[in-house]
Amino acid sequence: MPNKKIIINDMPHETRVALIEEGDIVELFIERRGASDSSGNIYKGRVQRVLPGMQAAFVDIGLTQAAFLYVNDIVHTSHDPLEPLISENRDEGYSQESDAAANGGSPKAPEKAPTRITELISEGQELLVQVSKTPMGTKGARITSYISLPGRFLVLMPASNHIGVSRRIEDEAERTRLREMVVELRTDTLGYIVRTAAEGVGPDKIIQEIAFLKKVWAGVQQKYETAPTPSLVHQELDISLRAVRDLLVHEAEKLIIDSRRGCQEICAFLDTFIPNLKETVELYEGSEPIFDHYNLEGDIFRALKRKVWLKSGGYIIIEHTEALVAIDVNTGRYVGKHNLEETILKTNLEAVKEIAYQIRLRDIGGIIIIDFIDMEKKGNQEKVFNALSEAFAKDRSKTHILPMSEMGLIQMTRKRIRKPLTRQLCAPCFYCEGEGHLLSGQTICYNIHREILRTSNDMTGSGIILKLHPQIAEQMLGDENHIICSLEKSLGRQVTIYPDSRFHLEEYDVLENQL
């Protein structure tokens, strides 16, 4: 296992969890009080509206925005929502999604024949659903009725009787042993995924895990029957305990936290479920903030920037759009030593590492288009593609990468569960309102000229007062002074400029001087 640590900065208003590999932060999770991640939470909801044309429905689960439920995420059963669905056992089924389910998402629904959504649900119907993707921007949460309850070794799936094994367990004999052990030990028709942490585990621990998960599921069933609609019936662990369950078990070898209260909660959790890992937890008591001590703040700051420099002098540009994320690679200041093709290949290969790092750290998901610098040699294109595939091998989120196109583009997708880091820590610019640019000073000056000409005919006063941002006022009195001279000459009125720092750069007022 590489040298991995979990660093937790636990404050009253915010908790930050960083996964460190060989001294570098590779994943960052943030939870703020009053704005916790709803992914993995289970709700009792009510169908608000069914959209047959979209094969989807909006469901009220008590959040600000209605949640979105797609037809393939609805359990195909006419029974009570709390009753498990008895389905045929499949060879693999959910196993490829097991780690995603255990990390706060839900497993992928099994493939099934197309069914009209109106045959499955109706408006006003109550449903037991789980959030698979948190709300992002104007989009509500994505939900599913295929419930999953993750434990340390297993993920319980009440909507299936399938037994799956995490694809990260590669040894076929071990996969077979674990599958047969769970089949033999379970005393019900519930489905289970065997997690990566179960590798080498004996039946005693699996029995305890099954009993624990069934108890949790019984609690969900009981609360569903008595809770009002809509309401939360099961809350996922907080971010610190999720880090223990999902990362400390098989991703990291040490956890360091700067809060005594948080440290006690983690130790109590480990006492109950994983007592042998208590010795891996350490309380940080240094005077320097813990993220500063481990030099993490600089990397987080870089992860919010549009432009990221490479060590060679090249750089990458990361642009978020509504539909996808575009990443552009440039040579920048790097000029190479021998020939152009070698310079381009070196820049592209260096960019591959940084792109994989930034995507993982920023938690970018969905469709991603990467525009590498054009390479003439097919072999060099394959080197870049293979390097990118290898760089994402350690990524816990599911990715799919297509070979480089003739235009030098690589298309890829990455499973999206949470908001990307920029959405969590940033807000749209109140100046440009998310456009990413402002009008130039010269353009604003010319707009002012046209506005004065447009309104001057309705003025009867002897002069014109112009209130505007100080930077534009300086430009109007300097490089663009010819505008003022032209207006005073053509209108026969004096134009008086009043700078006002309270004005937006693009804002101005044209007033009549009655004196």
Side-chain angles (χ1 to χ4, degrees):
M1 178 189 292
N3 181 16
K4 294 185 179 181
K5 296 178 182 177
I6 300 169
I7 309 298
I8 301 181
N9 173 218
D10 186 20
M11 304 296 288
H13 55 280
E14 177 187 62
T15 301
R16 298 186 295 173
V17 176
L19 176 62
I20 309 299
E21 286 183 4
E22 304 296 345
D24 293 325
I25 178 173
V26 293
E27 293 187 39
L28 178 66
F29 307 93
I30 299 173
E31 186 173 271
R32 289 175 171 170
R33 303 298 178 259
S36 60
D37 185 2
S38 60
S39 182
N41 288 353
I42 300 174
Y43 294 86
K44 181 179 182 179
R46 176 174 282 113
V47 180
Q48 281 186 329
R49 188 181 177 194
V50 178
L51 307 172
M54 295 179 63
Q55 284 288 72
F58 288 110
V59 181
D60 180 13
I61 59 174
L63 301 182
T64 305
Q65 298 165 300
F68 185 79
L69 178 65
Y70 186 59
V71 65
N72 284 350
D73 292 319
I74 303 174
V75 174
H76 285 220
T77 176
S78 58
H79 297 92
D80 186 275
L82 300 179
E83 290 296 320
L85 172 65
I86 308 302
S87 60
E88 292 183 6
N89 195 4
R90 294 173 172 80
D91 182 42
E92 279 300 321
Y94 288 92
S95 62
Q96 293 186 357
E97 302 295 326
S98 58
D99 289 320
N103 290 330
S106 293
K108 184 180 179 182
E111 296 297 328
K112 57 183 86 74
T115 304
R116 302 297 300 173
I117 193 169
T118 50
E119 300 172 13
L120 301 175
I121 60 173
S122 57
E123 292 183 7
Q125 181 178 342
E126 294 181 348
L127 293 175
L128 182 70
V129 294
Q130 186 171 31
V131 175
S132 56
K133 292 181 182 178
T134 55
M136 296 185 190
T138 58
K139 299 178 181 178
R142 174 80 177 265
I143 57 175
T144 176
S145 62
Y146 288 91
I147 307 299
S148 66
L149 294 171
R152 181 189 177 194
F153 303 117
L154 302 172
V155 178
L156 170 64
M157 301 179 300
S160 171
N161 70 345
H162 173 66
I163 304 297
V165 180
S166 169
R167 61 178 176 176
R168 293 191 177 187
I169 300 178
E170 298 178 353
D171 183 82
E172 196 57 42
E174 178 65 2
R175 294 174 64 85
T176 301
R177 181 188 76 87
L178 290 168
R179 184 184 286 109
E180 291 177 351
M181 181 169 61
V182 175
V183 170
E184 183 180 343
L185 293 177
R186 71 170 178 173
T187 57
D188 48 55
T189 57
L190 301 175
Y192 293 91
I193 298 169
V194 181
R195 299 190 66 187
T196 312
E199 192 168 8
V201 168
D204 291 346
K205 291 185 177 180
I206 297 299
I207 290 173
Q208 293 175 0
E209 182 94 324
I210 290 175
F212 166 72
L213 291 174
K214 287 175 67 175
K215 185 177 180 180
V216 174
W217 174 235
V220 171
Q221 291 174 301
Q222 182 178 5
K223 192 163 185 182
Y224 177 88
E225 292 172 347
T226 59
T229 308
S231 63
L232 174 68
V233 297
H234 174 77
Q235 186 163 17
E236 175 64 304
L237 297 174
D238 66 33
I239 192 171
S240 297
L241 297 184
R242 287 204 306 273
V244 173
R245 183 193 67 195
D246 300 333
L247 300 177
L248 185 60
V249 173
H250 55 273
E251 288 282 339
E253 54 195 22
K254 193 171 186 180
L255 184 149
I256 305 168
I257 184 170
D258 60 358
S259 161
R260 188 173 298 276
R261 176 196 58 79
C263 185
Q264 291 171 347
E265 287 182 359
I266 289 173
C267 288
F269 180 81
L270 291 173
D271 264 337
T272 304
F273 301 107
I274 328 169
N276 63 306
L277 288 181
K278 274 187 67 176
E279 61 185 29
T280 64
V281 178
E282 176 184 318
L283 175 64
Y284 175 78
E285 298 182 286
S287 57
E288 187 181 25
I290 188 169
F291 270 36
D292 289 342
H293 180 76
Y294 288 95
N295 299 315
L296 306 182
E297 297 290 7
D299 287 335
I300 296 172
F301 180 76
R302 284 179 70 235
L304 301 177
K305 294 296 183 181
R306 172 178 171 268
K307 188 174 188 177
V308 180
W309 286 97
L310 306 176
K311 291 181 180 179
S312 67
Y315 62 89
I316 62 174
I317 299 289
I318 302 175
E319 294 278 11
H320 290 258
T321 73
E322 188 70 22
L324 52 82
V325 174
I327 302 177
D328 185 39
V329 182
N330 298 277
T331 54
R333 296 190 295 258
Y334 181 58
V335 296
K337 295 181 179 180
H338 297 95
N339 58 63
L340 178 61
E341 184 74 6
E342 180 185 298
T343 301
I344 291 173
L345 176 61
K346 184 175 180 180
T347 304
N348 282 339
L349 289 176
E350 186 183 10
V352 160
K353 296 180 181 179
E354 188 65 35
I355 288 169
Y357 175 76
Q358 291 293 332
I359 287 176
R360 192 175 172 192
L361 177 57
R362 298 176 188 224
D363 203 6
I364 297 172
I367 300 172
I368 303 168
I369 306 295
I370 307 172
D371 184 10
F372 286 99
I373 306 169
D374 291 340
M375 295 171 287
E376 294 182 0
K377 297 180 180 179
K378 190 73 174 177
N380 288 343
Q381 294 179 7
E382 292 177 356
K383 284 181 182 179
V384 171
F385 170 72
N386 292 334
L388 189 67
S389 299
E390 184 180 343
F392 278 100
K394 296 185 291 185
D395 191 357
R396 293 187 305 122
S397 292
K398 186 178 179 181
T399 58
H400 179 60
I401 306 173
L402 296 179
M404 186 174 290
S405 71
E406 293 180 0
M407 299 180 68
L409 303 177
I410 284 186
Q411 305 171 63
M412 64 173 289
T413 59
R414 185 172 185 268
K415 187 174 179 65
R416 177 167 52 196
I417 297 176
R418 292 172 294 273
K419 295 178 183 178
L421 191 63
T422 50
R423 287 277 186 93
Q424 294 183 62
L425 300 184
C426 302
C429 171
F430 63 87
Y431 264 178
C432 67
E433 296 181 349
E435 294 294 332
H437 57 263
L438 292 168
L439 293 176
S440 69
Q442 188 176 53
T443 300
I444 296 170
C445 291
Y446 293 171
N447 286 347
I448 292 172
H449 177 256
R450 284 188 286 270
E451 179 66 18
I452 292 176
L453 291 176
R454 191 179 298 121
T455 59
S456 61
N457 290 334
D458 298 326
M459 294 182 180
T460 58
S462 60
I464 297 171
I465 295 175
L466 180 58
K467 293 184 177 181
L468 68 177
H469 189 277
Q471 183 177 325
I472 305 303
E474 183 179 350
Q475 195 161 350
M476 288 286 278
L477 294 170
D479 294 343
E480 305 299 334
N481 185 54
H482 61 91
I483 293 177
I484 302 299
C485 295
S486 172
L487 286 169
E488 289 181 337
K489 184 177 180 180
S490 62
L491 299 177
R493 294 187 178 99
Q494 182 180 8
V495 179
T496 306
I497 295 177
Y498 288 94
D500 192 334
S501 59
R502 295 172 296 179
F503 276 52
H504 181 290
L505 187 73
E506 298 177 356
E507 183 184 5
Y508 53 86
D509 276 343
V510 178
L511 306 172
E512 184 177 3
N513 190 348
Q514 297 289 349
L515 298 179

